[in-house]
């Protein structure tokens, strides 16, 4: 709930509305129960506990990378569902990658999350709870957020916008929009909506192919909105917000990494305020894809830069701990299924 909504709810419930701000601040400091709001009277805390609840995410599994200290979490939500998130340390501070849905409907062929189907949207408080659970677990303050975990944020648009409003609020965690990125597979209608809100958010777009033939094969969403429609929306976003779009491009050997692909990509992005982020594809179990070679990736970058498009290779963090999303949950589910089979036998 926003502060205004808490005030309204308190008024409707006959509770003192001047307490709303104090309660709001406690909630955003990451308390797990009303009991912890120590400057509130016992009677008031009990009333709150009877009428409201706080969404808490519990750490179900934690994997710490020996290579770079990246921490991968499997978190348990109040209804027993699980989502993943990742804490990364950069020179400018801590960054968290959070999930926006339990599972995903988009079914991109290279992605581990899509393979386990879709369960439900996350509520705004469950997105906040991920940040809070990790801050508490590591005793750190997170300064950057990327909505790049499980799920498609623009398929859970209202809740994601509310989360953004809450997490950036002065009396909340106060993480500014300039420190938040949102990654989408290309829900075009929502890109226009988002642009019109003129938030100072960074938009990342999972492009992964320069044309419809390749993109429709790997990303079913392309059959709804094709590359041309997507790039038109991206140009609108960049023009309206003045923010540079970041295109994600997973380099998949012999699928989308040829010199022709690079040339076509450069042609299509020509003149747009953007940056291309190349990601050697993660060889997720069952997707059958292979990473492009370093040589192929460098060739690709060279062609793009000759045509005026800046591109970099994304740094790989946590490669020893299944740090890319969907992989940990899948393994966890397989292990649990394995244990259950064992019991049956
Ligand atoms: N649904 C959103 C955000 C979640 S996925 C989106 O599609 O952007 C986060 C990023 O990881 C996306 O760019 C996605 O395409 C990419 N991704 C998924 N599986 C991958 C894999 N096996 N290798 C490399 N990148 C992958």
């Amino acid at each position: 709930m926003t502060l205004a909504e808490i005030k309204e709810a308190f008024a409707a419930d006959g509770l003192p509305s001047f307490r709303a701000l104090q309660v709001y601040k406690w909630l955003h400091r990451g308390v797990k129960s009303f009991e912890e709001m120590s400057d509130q009277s016992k009677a008031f805390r009990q009333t709150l506990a009877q009428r409201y609840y706080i969404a808490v995410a519990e750490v179900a599994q934690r994997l710490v990378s020996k290579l770079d200290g990246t921490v991968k979490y499997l978190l348990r939500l109040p209804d027993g569902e699980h989502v993943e998130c990742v804490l990364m340390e950069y020179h400018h501070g801590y960054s968290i990658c959070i999930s926006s849905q339990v599972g995903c409907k988009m079914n991109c062929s290279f992605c581990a999350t899509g393979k386990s189907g879709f369960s439900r949207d996350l509520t705004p408080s469950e997105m906040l709870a991920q940040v809070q659970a990790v801050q508490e677990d590591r005793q750190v303050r997170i300064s950057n957020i990327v909505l790049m975990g499980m799920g498609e944020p623009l398929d859970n648009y209202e809740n994601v916008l509310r989360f953004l409003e809450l997490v950036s609020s002065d009396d909340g965690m106060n993480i500014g929009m300039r420190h938040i990125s949102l990654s989408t597979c290309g829900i075009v209608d929502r890109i226009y909506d988002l642009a019109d809100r003129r938030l100072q958010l960074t938009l990342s777009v999972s492009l992964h192919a320069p044309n419809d033939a390749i993109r429709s094969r790997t990303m079913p969403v392309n059959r709804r909105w094709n590359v041309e429609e997507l790039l038109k929306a991206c140009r609108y976003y960049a023009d309206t917000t003045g923010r540079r779009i970041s295109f994600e491009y997973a380099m998949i050997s012999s699928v989308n990494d040829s010199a022709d692909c690079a040339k076509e990509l450069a042609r299509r992005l020509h003149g747009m305020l953007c940056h291309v982020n190349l990601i050697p594809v993660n060889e997720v179990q069952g997707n059958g894809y292979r990473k492009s070679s370093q040589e192929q990736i460098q060739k690709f970058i060279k062609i793009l830069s000759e045509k005026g498009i800046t591109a970099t290779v994304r740094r790989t963090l946590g490669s020893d701990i299944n740090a890319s999303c969907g992989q940990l949950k899948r393994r966890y589910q397989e292990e649990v299924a394995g244990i259950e089979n064992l019991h049956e036998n």
Side-chain angles (χ1 to χ4, degrees):
M1 293 161 96
T2 61
L3 177 57
E5 286 166 344
I6 296 179
K7 277 187 189 152
E8 266 174 45
F10 280 11
D13 272 350
L15 298 171
S17 71
F18 73 93
R19 297 262 175 232
L21 179 60
Q22 296 164 354
V23 168
Y24 185 87
K25 285 183 176 170
W26 275 115
L27 291 171
H28 290 265
R29 254 181 265 160
V31 292
K32 292 182 168 176
S33 70
F34 295 104
E35 197 48 44
E36 291 170 55
M37 300 183 173
S38 54
D39 61 354
Q40 304 295 315
S41 75
K42 200 154 181 63
F44 183 59
R45 282 184 266 166
Q46 277 169 356
T47 308
L48 290 176
Q50 279 158 12
R51 300 194 188 168
Y52 307 100
Y53 91 102
I54 303 175
V56 175
E58 302 282 356
V59 176
Q61 268 190 24
R62 176 199 309 102
L63 297 175
V64 184
S65 168
K66 291 189 181 69
L67 303 174
D68 49 50
T70 297
V71 190
K72 176 73 189 256
Y73 289 93
L74 188 68
L75 299 178
R76 189 170 29 250
L77 303 173
D79 67 347
E81 290 280 10
H82 291 85
V83 288
E84 297 180 20
C85 67
V86 186
L87 178 73
M88 293 157 287
E89 191 178 358
Y90 290 98
H91 58 273
H92 57 261
Y94 285 96
S95 199
I96 188 172
C97 174
I98 64 164
S99 295
S100 56
Q101 295 178 317
V102 182
C104 188
K105 297 176 203 161
M106 299 301 142
N107 225 350
C108 300
S109 64
F110 42 77
C111 177
T113 299
K115 303 267 181 287
S116 359
F118 173 79
S119 297
R120 66 172 176 86
D121 286 333
L122 292 190
T123 62
S125 53
E126 287 172 330
M127 292 178 234
L128 288 170
Q130 295 172 61
V131 184
Q132 291 169 342
V134 170
Q135 288 201 145
E136 191 203 73
D137 187 67
R138 301 316 275 183
Q139 291 295 306
V140 295
R141 194 172 135 60
I142 288 167
S143 54
N144 288 70
I145 299 177
V146 296
L147 278 149
M148 223 179 252
M150 309 178 90
E152 169 49 49
L154 297 189
D155 183 44
N156 185 15
Y157 186 72
E158 298 298 334
N159 285 345
V160 164
L161 277 188
R162 181 177 278 257
F163 162 73
L164 293 173
E165 184 188 338
L166 292 170
V167 80
S168 63
S169 70
D170 291 346
D171 296 310
M173 272 183 261
N174 201 6
I175 299 178
M177 291 287 179
R178 284 179 177 274
H179 298 274
I180 305 176
S181 301
L182 182 154
S183 178
T184 179
C185 65
I187 312 285
V188 164
D189 292 353
R190 293 307 194 195
I191 294 178
Y192 284 107
D193 292 342
L194 197 61
D196 289 337
R197 291 188 167 254
R198 294 182 162 71
L199 304 176
Q200 288 300 298
L201 189 76
T202 299
L203 185 66
S204 296
V205 174
S206 302
L207 191 57
H208 302 321
N211 58 49
D212 291 328
I214 302 174
R215 196 163 192 269
S216 291
R217 215 163 52 224
T218 47
M219 301 180 70
V221 67
N222 198 69
R223 297 174 207 152
R224 173 70 179 80
W225 293 284
N226 65 22
V227 174
E228 191 181 326
E229 290 169 295
L230 174 58
L231 293 181
K232 198 171 150 212
C234 292
R235 279 180 202 275
Y236 180 81
Y237 188 93
D239 290 345
T240 313
T241 63
R243 306 280 298 164
R244 184 180 298 272
I245 301 237
S246 167
F247 286 106
E248 292 155 281
Y249 197 103
M251 293 291 284
I252 314 177
S253 180
S254 307
V255 173
N256 63 358
D257 65 346
S258 68
D260 282 344
C261 283
K263 286 177 200 157
E264 194 173 0
L265 183 63
R267 213 165 42 241
R268 298 195 89 148
L269 298 185
H270 182 76
M272 199 189 311
L273 184 61
C274 70
H275 178 89
V276 177
N277 222 315
L278 298 174
I279 311 153
V281 77
N282 257 297
E283 299 173 0
V284 177
Q285 194 191 354
N287 77 4
Y289 291 130
R290 290 277 158 265
K291 286 183 184 20
S292 306
S293 65
Q294 273 308 316
E295 191 191 348
Q296 198 67 22
I297 295 175
Q298 289 311 320
K299 230 158 74 187
F300 205 90
I301 292 183
K302 188 156 174 279
I303 295 171
L304 290 180
S305 73
E306 279 166 6
K307 308 217 176 279
I309 308 285
T310 58
T312 47
V313 183
R314 180 175 293 169
R315 218 174 115 211
T316 303
L317 289 173
S319 55
D320 55 333
I321 53 164
N322 284 325
S324 42
C325 271
Q327 300 188 58
L328 181 59
K329 183 175 173 189
R330 277 194 84 196
R331 210 178 61 189
Y332 180 81
Q333 283 173 334
E334 281 163 11
E335 278 168 15
V336 171
I339 291 165
E340 279 166 5
N341 285 339
L342 214 72
H343 288 312
E344 278 164 21
N345 294 339

